[in-house]
Amino acid sequence: MFTRTRSTGLHALTITAMATALFGCGGGGGGGDSTTGTPVATSYTATCAGGTTTTSASSVADAAAQCPVVPIVSSLVTSVPVATYAALSEELAAFNLLNAERGRCGFGLLAQNTQLDTAAKGHADWQLVNNYRGHYQTTGTQLFTGATPEDRITVAGYGDVSTFSAADEISTVLGTSVNLGMGGNQTRVLLNAPYHMKGLLGNFRDIGIAVRNSVDTASTYGPRVVVQFNLAHKASDGPQQFTSGDVQTYPCEGSRDIKPSLNNETPNPVPGRNLATNPLGSSVYIAVREGQTLAITSTGMINVATGASVLLRPAVTSANDPYAPCASGCYKSHEAYIAADAPLDANTKYQVTVSGTNNGTSFSRTFTFTTGG
């Protein structure tokens, strides 16, 4: 999983404080210091966001402190153009599923971007013909389009490398060259992999998708399918953002067909654990507005039908991410995840409870989701 994010200053509330001296009229120069004649301030005024004012008898700072708190508003995308992927294509299936899941759980929609499609196809094909799995290409190899995801996105025409933030998410299926069903299935696989789900649920605005196989590229390294996502947003547009009070989760209330187990991910969420023989269960992603601080204080999960508790691993945040600090891909201060320590039952409803603080304000969320087969 690759994610590169640049800092963007966002100022939702600007308070301009201004002291105003009020003087009374009176005989003999009243309202001034009797010795020096210097006027004495008797009231201070602060101009708040929106143009309202407050006053204080003690200081400008005290007046400013009385300004009403203005909530930071959402910039989530709720409508995007119809995608132009071919009807019944795996790219369309992946696009529709990801946007349905993001929209249902409050993460905002993504718009198809043909330049990102080009970058995604180029890297998917490069992996197939060079027998490689990963985010970085080697100069001089067949079908080389750029060493890094950002390089490839720049070459595809999305923008100069300094003008956007991007993520590169990949799922590779070995042993088959049949694309059918891979778009939707591998989207769900990535949405249960902690270091990939955070990219697919990130605050990007645009997406490109390619589902390619070894037959498409005449690869000689055995049958395989690559499902490639490139996500980005331009600095000029800024990221999608929650309101300051939002706490969103994936899965969320009513989510269905959640993968009940995780058998492989790079990087490994539990370093040293062989997920092929000792898999994890379903993962839950929790996020607040980027730039704020999320803390998780308690978690719980039960099988709704039986009431049996599910053993969860400790919540992973920026404070205990095993791969932090890192240039990209680690959990940031506004996000966290929890994971069941063993596979969940198939086609079963579970209830999750998560409590913590969002920038110091307490929250608690309870919701149910249903696993798939």
Side-chain angles (χ1 to χ4, degrees):
M1 185 271 178
F2 169 95
T3 306
R4 183 74 57 80
T5 305
R6 290 185 174 80
S7 299
T8 304
L10 298 175
H11 305 283
L13 172 63
T14 302
I15 296 177
T16 303
M18 176 175 62
T20 302
L22 304 178
F23 308 107
C25 295
D33 183 280
S34 61
T35 304
T36 65
T38 303
V40 177
T42 59
S43 180
Y44 299 89
T45 299
T47 301
C48 307
T52 61
T53 61
T54 57
T55 60
S56 168
S58 58
S59 67
V60 174
D62 184 63
Q66 299 176 44
C67 286
V69 175
V70 179
I72 300 176
V73 298
S74 164
S75 59
L76 294 182
V77 176
T78 58
S79 177
V80 295
V82 175
T84 61
Y85 297 115
L88 304 181
S89 69
E90 294 305 309
E91 288 84 358
L92 182 61
F95 176 85
N96 287 341
L97 174 59
L98 180 57
N99 261 349
E101 297 301 278
R102 286 180 60 106
R104 179 182 299 110
C105 295
F107 288 90
L109 304 182
L110 301 168
Q112 180 194 5
N113 181 279
T114 56
Q115 294 153 335
L116 295 180
D117 286 333
T118 297
K121 179 180 179 297
H123 190 51
D125 287 354
W126 182 88
Q127 292 173 83
L128 289 163
V129 301
N130 290 283
N131 193 30
Y132 182 85
R133 285 179 282 168
H135 303 287
Y136 300 96
Q137 295 185 14
T138 304
T139 304
T141 52
Q142 295 184 70
L143 303 185
F144 175 83
T145 55
T148 70
E150 288 183 321
D151 291 339
R152 299 189 292 272
I153 291 170
T154 297
V155 169
Y158 186 76
D160 180 79
V161 69
S162 64
T163 64
F164 61 83
S165 297
D168 186 72
E169 310 297 343
I170 311 164
S171 180
T172 302
V173 181
L174 303 177
T176 181
S177 58
V178 177
N179 285 0
L180 184 63
M182 290 295 182
N185 184 65
Q186 295 309 299
T187 298
R188 290 207 177 274
V189 168
L190 292 174
L191 283 172
N192 190 41
Y195 290 96
H196 291 75
M197 69 195 302
K198 72 187 293 296
L200 291 186
L201 297 170
N203 55 11
F204 303 105
R205 293 180 177 272
D206 302 317
I207 190 170
I209 306 170
V211 182
R212 304 285 287 170
N213 65 43
S214 47
V215 175
D216 295 329
T217 56
S219 172
T220 60
Y221 295 105
R224 67 186 66 186
V225 176
V226 173
V227 182
Q228 172 79 43
F229 296 86
N230 282 113
L231 306 93
H233 71 75
K234 296 182 180 180
S236 56
D237 296 327
Q240 298 195 58
Q241 288 278 35
F242 306 139
T243 68
S244 54
D246 284 342
V247 180
Q248 307 292 42
T249 70
Y250 185 83
C252 61
E253 178 60 41
S255 294
R256 303 186 63 84
D257 295 323
I258 302 303
K259 289 292 183 181
S261 65
L262 177 66
N263 301 79
N264 179 49
E265 185 180 21
T266 302
N268 189 336
V270 187
R273 178 166 169 169
N274 186 342
L275 297 183
T277 58
N278 188 16
L280 295 173
S282 300
S283 298
V284 176
Y285 179 71
I286 310 108
V288 299
R289 186 182 177 95
E290 187 170 8
Q292 298 183 179
T293 300
L294 172 67
I296 304 298
T297 55
S298 66
T299 62
M301 183 184 294
I302 63 169
N303 181 314
V304 172
T306 67
S309 295
V310 174
L311 177 62
L312 299 177
R313 295 189 59 79
V316 173
T317 67
S318 60
N320 65 347
D321 187 323
Y323 297 99
C326 65
S328 62
C330 293
Y331 271 71
K332 298 179 182 180
S333 64
H334 71 285
E335 58 189 352
Y337 82 89
I338 56 175
D341 195 50
L344 301 183
D345 295 334
N347 304 310
T348 301
K349 181 178 287 189
Y350 289 88
Q351 182 184 78
V352 178
T353 301
V354 180
S355 298
T357 59
N358 173 11
N359 253 18
T361 300
S362 297
F363 73 85
S364 183
R365 297 287 184 274
T366 298
F367 59 92
T368 63
F369 71 87
T370 304
T371 56

